[in-house]
Amino acid sequence: MNKHDPVMRFSHVKPEDTQFVGGGLRDFFLYRDLGIADATGGQVICHLVKANMPPSEGTGWHRHDCDFQIVIMTKGWAKFMYEDKPTLVKAGDVVHQRPGIVHYLFDYSPDMEYLEIVSPADFKTVDMPAPTDRVPPVTPWT
């Protein structure tokens, strides 16, 4: 895992300081860096994630090699499979994804946006076999 020396810089990022950009983990999402990875010397990453295009294949089954991860849904909704359980996460909901949980984000609304906080910032994503083949269908955008 992350073995960076702790750095605790003051950080204040305003909406106009950073933009949503592609090039993150998923090409169908846009990411807005909130400066926390830099402020903590890589101990924690905090970014906003939003839908960029309609769901087709979703994220696929995977897990993250991390010590801590939460998702705070700020707008819209997303549907995840956590192991074999479908889970609807709506605006205002908070999900603690325990380390190593096998999951799959397979559907989301056009206005979906969430805040994700993960430690360490350089966490890895590992493809995993599907624990179930019973994934509900995607909701088409109109």
Side-chain angles (χ1 to χ4, degrees), residues 81-95:
M81 292 293 294
Y82 287 106
E83 295 171 335
D84 63 348
K85 181 182 175 193
T87 304
L88 173 63
V89 181
K90 301 181 293 187
D93 292 356
V94 177
V95 175

Side-chain angles (χ1 to χ4, degrees), residues 2-99:
N2 184 320
K3 302 296 183 201
H4 301 285
D5 291 331
V7 175
M8 296 298 171
R9 292 189 200 105
F10 176 77
S11 178
H12 179 188
V13 175
K14 299 175 186 175
E16 62 271 14
D17 294 341
T18 60
Q19 303 299 314
F20 280 97
V21 296
L25 183 61
R26 311 288 179 195
D27 62 357
F28 43 87
F29 292 157
L30 296 175
Y31 299 82
R32 182 173 161 241
D33 179 40
L34 299 178
I36 304 304
D38 184 54
T40 63
Q43 294 298 314
V44 177
I45 189 168
C46 181
H47 51 222
L48 288 168
V49 180
K50 73 177 185 176
N52 185 38
M53 57 184 68
S56 60
E57 297 178 21
T59 61
W61 290 100
H62 65 283
R63 66 175 167 80
H64 300 294
D65 288 342
C66 63
D67 297 324
F68 176 80
Q69 181 180 16
I70 62 171
V71 170
I72 303 167
M73 192 65 62
T74 57
K75 296 178 185 173
W77 54 266
K79 294 178 184 176
F80 293 82
M81 292 293 294
Y82 287 106
E83 295 171 335
D84 63 348
K85 181 182 175 193
T87 304
L88 173 63
V89 181
K90 301 181 293 187
D93 292 356
V94 177
V95 175
H96 171 251
Q97 292 183 178
R98 68 169 165 74

